[in-house]
Amino acid sequence: MSQDLSKITCIEDLRVIAQKRVPRMFYDYADSGAWTEGTYRANQEDFQKIKLRQRVAVDMEGRSLRTTLVGSDAVMPLAIAPTGLTGMQHADGEMLAARAAADFGVPFTLSTMSICSIEDVAQATGKPFWFQLYVMRDREFCANLIDRAKAAGCSALVLTLDLQILGQRHKDIKNGLSTPPKPTLRNLINLATKPRWCMSMLGTKRRTFGNIVGHAKGVSDLSSLSAWTAEQFDPRLSWDDVKWIKDRWGGKLIIKGILDVEDAELAAQSGADALIVSNHGGRQLDGAQSSIEVLPSIAQAVGSRIEVLIDGGIRGGQDILKSVALGARGAMIGRAFLYGLGAYGQAGVTRALEILYKEMDVTMALCGRKHVSQIDRSLLVPGTYPT
Ligand SMILES: Cc1cc2nc3c(=O)[nH]c(=O)nc-3n(C[C@H](O)[C@H](O)[C@H](O)COP(=O)(O)O)c2cc1C
């Protein structure tokens, strides 16, 4: 019997349920930021400062949020961002979220650090999705990943540039979510309070990094995997790597993790099709500006040459609308879909997308616009938004 989620009316409802159902170490992994979490908080808070202009007596019949994002059709200007360990928020999480996104009509991005593999997700959806690449020291492994994404029919490669070295989240260290994992007694006791999660995990074979185990040289079990991941993120990553990755991939390329106008220029010059204004959801450089604060200057500098997307702090449809008003072609969500997944699996991701759609549609109407193409900064109250 399908669940009735009609009383789940906002993303915060999903967050509260996810917190109850997902083991603490994995919930904390999602719902935390680097060091003081200042940038993590600013991502959301800065959206709240932007005010909308209410308009009345404008014909609102026949509205549409439809658009295209990097050549992919989308029912609204939204895509699902890549998140590692998604299959730990819910068993088979990446397959469920990809299915929800495909059915709803928005792009889904699979992380390199996913639990379900590229091939799992391709099989689960039968539809194209985006694949996110981390550049590892083992370039042969990277080249193979690119080839596997191509073979699986992925429609864009999302190349993440803001994780050459790992930012630090206090909660992960305290929870023992490290490589190798060292769960604390407190975590193990906490696990015993999540029978639904434990049962569903016992029912799946996918409990480790599906893109890596059996594919990276010498990685066959949990301890070799831990050693491999601990040393593989490549601190030497440079724009020269972007060139060979672009050539090897040969399809649509999206550069993720741009927060500075100078880097946005370099991304545009690299020949990429799109960039994502992102601070990794406040998980890397604590003290960096929020994504929405830097979006207008980046969109102004390069928006005519390259599609500009944004992520970080999107928890409502109004945030998507504000992003588009300030120059983004579309927005991406990380935690907003993870909360849905942790709370109710595939149905929860669908519910998150429905909530965001409704909020954006109603807000657009109350601001007097019928189509995404009519959204610009004249929708916003001057002086309340960054320029
Ligand atoms: C739990 C978690 C795991 C993430 N893992 C990845 C990843 O593997 N690759 C990547 O490029 N970004 C990763 N990100 C960053 C997201 O793609 C995105 O930039 C961020 O979640 C956006 O902020 P939001 O969560 O406030 O929407 C992760 C974010 C979260 C919350």
Side-chain angles (χ1 to χ4, degrees):
M1 205 180 72
S2 66
Q3 279 169 299
D4 176 13
L5 300 186
S6 57
K7 299 284 190 311
I8 301 290
T9 57
C10 57
I11 298 297
E12 176 61 11
D13 288 349
L14 292 169
R15 189 196 66 73
V16 170
I17 309 277
Q19 191 168 21
K20 287 193 190 126
R21 294 193 169 179
V22 177
R24 187 204 320 260
M25 68 192 295
F26 297 118
Y27 175 81
D28 282 353
Y29 168 70
D31 195 7
S32 58
W35 286 328
T36 69
E37 302 192 332
T39 298
Y40 173 39
R41 283 192 302 276
N43 275 345
Q44 276 175 261
E45 287 165 4
D46 287 356
F47 272 113
Q48 301 309 313
K49 295 176 190 158
I50 303 170
K51 300 296 172 212
L52 300 161
R53 288 176 61 204
Q54 172 177 298
R55 300 301 308 276
V56 296
V58 181
D59 177 4
M60 278 305 124
E61 187 87 329
R63 293 183 307 283
S64 168
L65 300 182
R66 265 189 189 281
T67 188
T68 59
L69 299 174
V70 204
S72 301
D73 284 323
V75 290
M76 65 187 298
L78 184 72
I80 291 196
T83 53
L85 289 176
T86 301
M88 288 293 154
Q89 303 295 326
H90 190 286
D92 297 333
E94 290 89 356
M95 293 194 288
L96 300 183
R99 257 193 231 131
D103 291 351
F104 196 81
V106 294
F108 171 82
T109 315
L110 183 73
S111 164
T112 292
M113 304 307 288
S114 56
I115 301 295
C116 303
S117 68
I118 300 174
E119 293 77 14
D120 285 334
V121 172
Q123 205 172 19
T125 62
K127 301 231 177 95
F129 56 96
W130 297 354
F131 179 69
Q132 176 264 327
L133 181 72
Y134 277 132
V135 180
M136 303 297 192
R137 284 182 189 272
D138 182 348
R139 297 301 160 84
E140 201 183 316
F141 169 75
C142 290
N144 283 339
L145 266 184
I146 293 170
D147 295 348
R148 286 168 61 197
K150 233 191 283 188
C154 291
S155 50
L157 186 74
V158 177
L159 174 59
T160 299
L161 295 186
D162 63 2
L163 202 129
Q164 281 166 272
I165 59 166
L166 287 165
Q168 179 180 310
R169 290 181 300 277
H170 296 316
K171 284 179 198 152
D172 288 352
I173 295 174
K174 293 188 164 73
N175 284 331
L177 197 65
S178 49
T179 45
K182 296 184 197 105
T184 60
L185 181 63
R186 198 179 87 153
N187 289 131
L188 294 173
I189 293 168
N190 177 260
L191 212 56
T193 66
K194 316 284 176 191
R196 184 196 308 256
W197 184 93
C198 294
M199 287 308 290
S200 69
M201 277 297 163
L202 286 173
T204 180
K205 291 197 288 283
R206 296 173 184 86
R207 291 192 288 260
T208 183
F209 293 107
N211 290 326
I212 298 172
V213 175
H215 295 280
K217 231 177 278 158
V219 179
S220 54
D221 58 14
L222 195 62
S223 76
S224 51
L225 173 69
S226 292
W228 188 88
T229 34
E231 62 160 36
Q232 274 295 328
F233 289 98
D234 195 345
R236 302 163 306 171
L237 171 63
S238 77
W239 288 100
D240 290 338
D241 294 299
V242 175
K243 183 166 171 6
W244 79 257
I245 289 164
K246 179 174 161 32
D247 291 345
R248 176 103 189 184
W249 167 246
K252 302 272 187 199
L253 181 69
I254 305 171
I255 305 267
K256 180 170 185 282
I258 299 295
L259 211 63
D260 189 281
V261 174
E262 281 180 35
D263 286 338
E265 272 296 341
L266 294 169
Q269 284 165 22
S270 76
D273 300 277
L275 64 81
I276 307 170
V277 174
S278 173
N279 49 36
H280 217 101
R283 297 164 78 80
Q284 284 291 97
L285 179 62
D286 186 37
Q289 287 172 288
S290 70
S291 300
I292 193 66
E293 190 179 352
V294 298
L295 171 69
S297 54
I298 290 179
Q300 214 151 11
V302 300
S304 60
R305 287 176 278 153
I306 182 170
E307 269 186 38
V308 174
L309 307 175
I310 179 174
D311 72 26
I314 306 263
R315 299 290 185 277
Q318 295 204 336
D319 302 334
I320 306 169
L321 185 103
K322 289 170 182 174
S323 299
V324 175
L326 290 175
R329 177 90 190 168
M332 300 179 79
I333 46 167
R335 296 174 183 93
F337 97 86
L338 288 177
Y339 298 149
L341 182 69
Y344 298 109
Q346 182 173 336
V349 179
T350 303
R351 191 71 192 127
L353 294 170
E354 286 168 353
I355 288 167
L356 296 174
Y357 187 96
K358 170 132 200 230
E359 289 174 351
M360 180 167 179
D361 177 52
V362 170
T363 306
M364 186 174 75
L366 293 175
C367 290
R369 307 295 157 94
K370 283 211 303 204
H371 298 288
V372 171
S373 60
Q374 299 170 325
I375 300 174
D376 58 22
R377 30 178 96 180
S378 65
L379 221 94
L380 309 176
V381 176
T384 67
Y385 57 85
T387 49

